[in-house]
Amino acid sequence: MTGRHVFGPVREREFRRAASFGDVVVELSRRGGHDLLRSLDPRHPLRETYVRTPAFDYDPAWVIPAEFAPYSAPRPIEVAAAVDGIVHTHEAIGEAVFALDGAELRLILLRAEHLAGAGLILFTDATSGVTTYRASRRLITPLPVPGSMQLVLDFNRAGNLQCAYTPYAPCPLAPPQNRLTIPIEAGEQIPTFRPEPAETGEHPAS
């Protein structure tokens, strides 16, 4: 593609899709202080070979009550990214405290940007890299109403980040505290893609 488009300053984690060349949209973003330029091509092989995203069957046992333990003040927290060389800084607002299999677990809760009144949990577990995407999954949960500290963690709604579908997405990874050793058999699993046709090396007869 050729051409010129002038972008203004881009904020951290902003998606700016203001330029296009035919069907291809050029996206400018900023992650960890790095400017990123990506082409979004509807005919990219990753889109054409995508089949579906399987998920575990809904199980009410994975709707877990938790207590919100807020920090005295939001604190910045650095988390690695799925792309080497990028470090994200998010705002940690507290922890979700709950019991599972007789053990108390505490997951760091990040502020869910662009979603008022919601928290974001990035986590891995014993299914990561086996039946679920290895890098991280996310769970968005409503924050408690005023006067309450009660949360509901519905792991049936645990979903994949962009990096489960493309190696060009610098998704934030779970902080060490959110890397569970137990299996969370709920939510989305590893996406399914059709394999690329194998090259046989044979040439048509002349």
Side-chain angles (χ1 to χ4, degrees), residues 8 28 33 48 79 102 128 147:
L28 184 67
E48 294 185 340
V79 293
S128 301

Side-chain angles (χ1 to χ4, degrees), residues 15-103:
F15 295 95
R16 183 80 61 82
R17 298 177 182 179
S20 61
F21 300 83
D23 292 337
V24 178
V25 174
V26 177
E27 176 185 85
L28 184 67
S29 187
R30 190 170 178 82
R31 296 291 186 277
H34 298 270
D35 292 323
L36 307 177
L37 191 65
R38 298 186 290 194
S39 58
L40 308 179
D41 185 355
R43 294 182 301 277
H44 192 282
L46 284 171
R47 290 198 61 169
E48 294 185 340
T49 60
Y50 171 75
V51 177
R52 68 187 185 101
T53 299
F56 292 98
D57 292 337
Y58 177 84
D59 185 348
W62 287 110
V63 182
I64 298 175
E67 181 178 349
F68 179 45
Y71 297 140
S72 57
R75 60 184 68 168
I77 179 174
E78 291 187 345
V79 293
V83 174
D84 290 341
I86 293 178
V87 176
H88 295 275
T89 300
H90 283 266
E91 191 175 67
I93 57 177
E95 299 177 354
V97 184
F98 60 101
L100 195 60
D101 292 340

